[in-house]
Amino acid sequence: MPALRKFISLAQRSVLTNMRLEPLKKGEQALGRSRGGLTVEIHDFVEGLGQLARFVLASGQVHDVTQTQVLIEQMQLDAVLADKPYDANALLTCFRTKNAKAVIPPKTNRLEQREFDRLHYRNRNVIERFFATLKQFRRVATRHDKLASRFGSFVDLAASVLWLR
């Protein structure tokens, strides 16, 4: 009889755990797995004076190139300064159709190395300085918000505070 009682109690536990309702997600989280754990990426366009023009949140494992075309759909561009990961043929042709100058260094494994304006590329530090000042807001640097909409609204708030300085 005690063995039967033990079986029933184990069965009740499994039923209770299976019947427990998981809370529904209230929105997109934009969290991605990487070697460092759960991460989020802020893909952004910074204007010439170092202020945020537009941004998109994506999970950590999403490549940079996939989000760039979403960002530039409705923007008028003169020049685009970016890192080597943005050196993709599809993205470069997208910049050409918008009549924008691509100031992106070519990847080292590219078969035909193309030229880029090294003097103009030095201005890319404006983007890095924007991220450094944005990460001074602890809530942006550590991402305590679970939902992407809340995190994105705080990035908006932090960028507007930086704009007003």
Side-chain angles (χ1 to χ4, degrees):
M1 192 68 159
L4 183 62
R5 191 176 292 162
K6 188 175 185 182
F7 176 73
I8 290 172
S9 66
L10 287 176
Q12 287 175 346
R13 283 187 202 150
S14 65
V15 168
L16 287 177
T17 57
N18 288 341
M19 290 175 53
R20 186 177 306 144
L21 295 175
E22 292 291 325
L24 296 174
K25 294 179 182 177
K26 296 181 181 176
E28 184 184 353
Q29 295 183 1
L31 287 171
R33 275 264 171 224
S34 68
R35 286 186 259 166
L38 295 174
T39 58
V40 66
E41 289 184 356
I42 302 173
H43 301 277
D44 67 337
F45 266 98
V46 177
E47 51 112 15
L49 296 175
Q51 302 298 332
L52 182 66
R54 192 169 178 201
F55 76 96
V56 172
L57 295 176
S59 56
Q61 73 267 14
V62 174
H63 196 272
D64 299 336
V65 174
T66 60
Q67 302 301 314
T68 305
Q69 292 180 350
V70 174
L71 282 173
I72 64 171
E73 285 176 353
Q74 301 170 352
M75 296 186 74
Q76 298 294 327
L77 306 171
D78 292 330
V80 177
L81 285 80
D83 290 357
K84 285 185 180 184
Y86 294 94
D87 182 32
N89 290 333
L91 195 59
L92 292 173
T93 56
C94 184
F95 291 150
R96 275 189 224 111
T97 58
K98 291 212 168 260
N99 296 325
K101 179 181 177 184
V103 185
I104 302 171
K107 293 181 184 176
T108 55
N109 62 353
R110 186 177 265 280
L111 294 177
E112 54 204 45
Q113 294 291 320
R114 57 179 181 74
E115 294 293 321
F116 73 103
D117 189 0
R118 292 181 187 272
L119 190 63
H120 198 121
Y121 184 70
R122 290 182 185 174
N123 294 331
R124 204 184 66 76
N125 70 36
V126 171
I127 301 168
E128 301 299 329
R129 284 186 288 156
F130 168 74
F131 272 112
T133 55
L134 186 66
K135 287 183 179 180
Q136 288 178 358
F137 293 90
R138 189 178 74 123
R139 193 166 169 182
V140 173
T142 58
R143 186 175 178 178
H144 292 294
D145 298 311
K146 188 172 186 179
L147 297 178
S149 61
R150 293 180 185 156
F151 181 66
S153 62
F154 192 78
V155 170
D156 277 333
L157 179 66
S160 61
V161 167
L162 292 176
W163 191 283
L164 293 173
R165 283 188 184 173

